Amino acid sequence: MTQLSTETLPFDVTTTEAVHLRAGGVSLVVDIAHGAMPSIVHWGSDLGPLSDLELRELIVATAPRRDNSVDVPVRVGVVPEASSGWLGAPGLQGHRSDGTAWSPKFSETEHEVQGATLISRGHDDQAGLDLTVELELTASGLLRARADVVNAGESDYFVDRLVVTLPVAPVAREILDQTGRWAKERIPQRRDITAGAHLRESRRGRTGADAATVLIAGERGFSFQNGEVWGLHVGWSGNHVSYVERHNNGLTLLGGGELLLPGEVALGAGEQYSTPWVYGAHGIGLDEQAQRFHSYLRSRKQHPSSVRPVTLNVWEAVYFDHRLDTLLELAQRASDVGIERYVLDDGWFRHRRRDNAGLGDWFVDEDVWPDGLAPLVDRVRELGMQFGLWFEPEMVNLDSDLARAHPDWILQTGGRLPPEARTQQVLNVAIPEAYEYLLDRISRLVDEYSIDYIKWDHNRDLIEPGAAQRGGAAGTHEQTHAVYQLLRELKRRHPDLEIESCSSGGARVDLGILEVTDRVWASDCIDPLERQHIQRWTAQLLPPELVGCHISGPRSHTTSRTHDLSFRATTALFGHFGVEWNIAEASERERAELAEWILLHKRFRHLIHTGRVVRPDVPDDEVTVSGVIAADGSEALFDIAMLGRPASWPPSAVRLPGLDPTRQYRVMAIGPDAPTAVDGATPAWQRPDGIVLSGRVLGRVGIQIPPLKPEHAALAHLVAV
Ligand code: GLA
C-alpha cells in the first residue's frame, strides 16, 4: 500500500500517486504509485502548477509500455530494481554469504514529503533489507538524491554497489564531461550518446584530476547559452562512479554513487550504508546548469560569507628553502601591495628539507625554525595579515618518525607496501590512534599560532588501500569518512578556521569535500593561458569565491611560458584572488602594478563573489569571454581573453547575455595597463567615455572583441545608468 504523509507542501500538487516538486525553474514529477519505490517521470523545465487531474494524466501519459520482451511494463526506479523486469544495471547490488538477497524487491513502501524533500522507504522481507531514497529539490532547482540500505536480516549483507539514477529526456544526444591530469585539470570531452554506457570510474581514493566533475547529457550542440542539458555530480572524495546509459527501449539514465571495492561494505544485522549525495542539475545551456550549483552552494549556512582575503602563498617563491629573513621580507612586500593573508607552504616541519621525508612529523622543525614559527607569525599579524599553514595530514613518508614508530598505520593489504608515489604512503586515518594523533597535532598548532587557514593537501592516489585493523580489507570508504570527520572536528574546535582542499592542485574538487572546507586550489599550473580553461570548467560546479586563483611570476614554473602581468592578473581576478610569486624579486614597477591589480580586485570582489557567472558563446576557440553579473543586474564585469590568433580579423562581436534587457548600461574598459592592439581600431567601448547600450542590445548584438595580441586580456565593466 502506498501511504503519503504531507507535513508541509510548499510546492505543488501531491497525490497519493505522484509528487510534483517545483523550485528555481525546475519541476520534478515522481511516480510513487504501485506500492513501489519512486520513479522519476519528469526532471527538467518547470511545468507550472498542475492540477491533481493533470498530474494524474501526466503519469498515465508517460507510463512505461510493454515491449516484446517482458509481459509487464517495466518501471525504472531512482534505484532501479531487476525485480521489476529491468535488465539494465540494478541500483543496489549485494548479497549474503550464502548467495541470497541478491535481487531485492522493495514493497510496503511509504512516502513522505518533508519540506522540499520526498523520502521513500521500502522493505523486502525475504531479502531482509530496507531501502530509503531521498529526493530533494533545492531552492535553486538543483536536485539532490541519496539512498541508504539497512540490513534488517540476521547474517551479514555485502553491499557491492548502491547508485541513484536520474532519467534525461530523449532529446539528449551528446555527452560532455571532464578529464585531466596533474597541472591540467578539468579538460572537457564530448561524444555522442550511443547504446551502452559511458562509464567514468575513479579508483584513486580521491576525486581525481581526471574526474568527470559534472557528467552532462544534452541536446545536440548544446553550449553555454543554448541547448537543454542535464548533469550529474557525485559529492564524494573517495572512489566513485558516474555514467550515462542508453537502453534499447530509448531510456537514457544518468547514474552515480560511490565505487565500492570488494568486501568494503559488509553490513552486520541492523547496520546501514548510505550513498553520498548525488546532484542533478538541469539547465537551458551550461551557464544555467552551473548557476543551479552556484546558488545552492551560496545558500549553505557554512558558505564563506566574509570578504575573501587576498592571499600570498610562498610555495613558488621559496619551495623548501625556508629562511626567516626571506620569508619576513616577503611578508613586508605582501603587506605593502595589499595582501591580506600569508600562507606558509610545505617545508616547515621536522625532516622536511625535500619532498622525500618528514610527512607525518607535524612538529615545527627545530633546526630551521629554532624559535618556532612565532617570529614569522607575529610579524605577519603586525602587518595586519592572516596566517595560513600547509599540511598534508593523510600522508606519511617512510623516512619520518611517525612511520618508524607506527608502520602499521600505513594503508596496505598486508605483507607488502603499495608502490610509493611522491615518495609517500597513505596513513590509515580510520585507525583511532592515527586519527587522534592528527587531530591533536593540527589542533595544537592552530591554537599555538592562532592559524586562520590551512592548506590541506593530498598528493597521491590510494593504491591497495587495505586497513590493517581489518586484516588488510579494502578501506577507501572508511578512510574517506574518517577524513571528513577529522575536518569536521577541526572546524568544530576552531570555528573560525578556514580550510582549502588542495590535492596536487585540483584533484579533490567535489561537493563532498566542500561540505568541510572553504575553497579549492584549482591547479598547480598558474600559467594564465592554462588557467583560462581550468577556471572556466571548474565553474561548471563551483562559484568563483570557492576557487583559489593566483598570479604567478612572469615565467610559469609548470610551462615556462612568460606572460605580462595584465594577463596573469585579469585571469586570477575572477576567483579567490592571490599571488604565488617571489614578489621580493619583482621590480618596483611590477610591485606597483601588482598593487593596482589587488586594489582592482578589492573593488570588484563583492561583485565577483556574489554575481552570476556568465560564459558567453564565442565565435572562435581562440577567444574566451567570461564574466559576472550582479544579482540585481546593476553591474557586470567581463574578461575578454585572446588565447591565440583567430582566423578572422579583426575579431567579431561577442554577445553579452544575462543583462537586464530593459536597462541601459555604460560599457567601459577598466584595469591598469590595457593590452596593445595588433592593428585596427580600438572598439568604441574601450574609448574614454565608453558606450551606452541596453541589456537587450548587448545580449543580441554584443560588443566588439578588441584586437588583442595573443595571450592578453581586456576587462569590460558595465554599469546600469
Ligand atoms: C602540492 C600542492 C602545491 C604545493 C606542494 C607542496 O603539489 O598542490 O601547491 O603545496 O604540494 O609540496
Side-chain angles (χ1 to χ4, degrees), residues 309-319 322 327 330-331 334 339-346 348 369 373 376 380 385-391 451-456 498 500 519 550 576-581:
V310 176
T311 298
L312 175 86
N313 181 296
V314 303
W315 176 240
E316 291 205 351
V318 301
Y319 291 105
H322 284 199
L327 290 164
L330 271 168
I339 280 164
E340 299 159 317
R341 174 184 279 167
Y342 181 103
V343 181
L344 183 64
D345 210 281
D346 195 356
W348 57 269
W369 297 92
L373 298 178
L376 177 65
V380 164
M385 293 183 287
Q386 297 184 8
F387 181 73
L389 194 61
W390 183 93
F391 286 89
I451 293 173
D452 300 288
Y453 175 85
I454 288 178
K455 177 175 174 182
W456 185 291
E498 289 195 12
E500 171 179 60
R519 70 168 223 175
H550 296 178
H576 183 175
F577 187 74
V579 177
E580 198 147 338
W581 166 20

Side-chain angles (χ1 to χ4, degrees), residues 347-353 357-367 399-401 441:
W348 57 269
F349 46 95
R350 283 186 191 157
H351 312 124
R352 191 64 166 175
R353 304 285 59 78
L359 283 178
D361 298 343
W362 303 111
F363 296 84
V364 178
D365 189 286
E366 292 81 352
D367 295 336
D399 185 1
S400 67
D401 293 341
R441 285 315 311 148

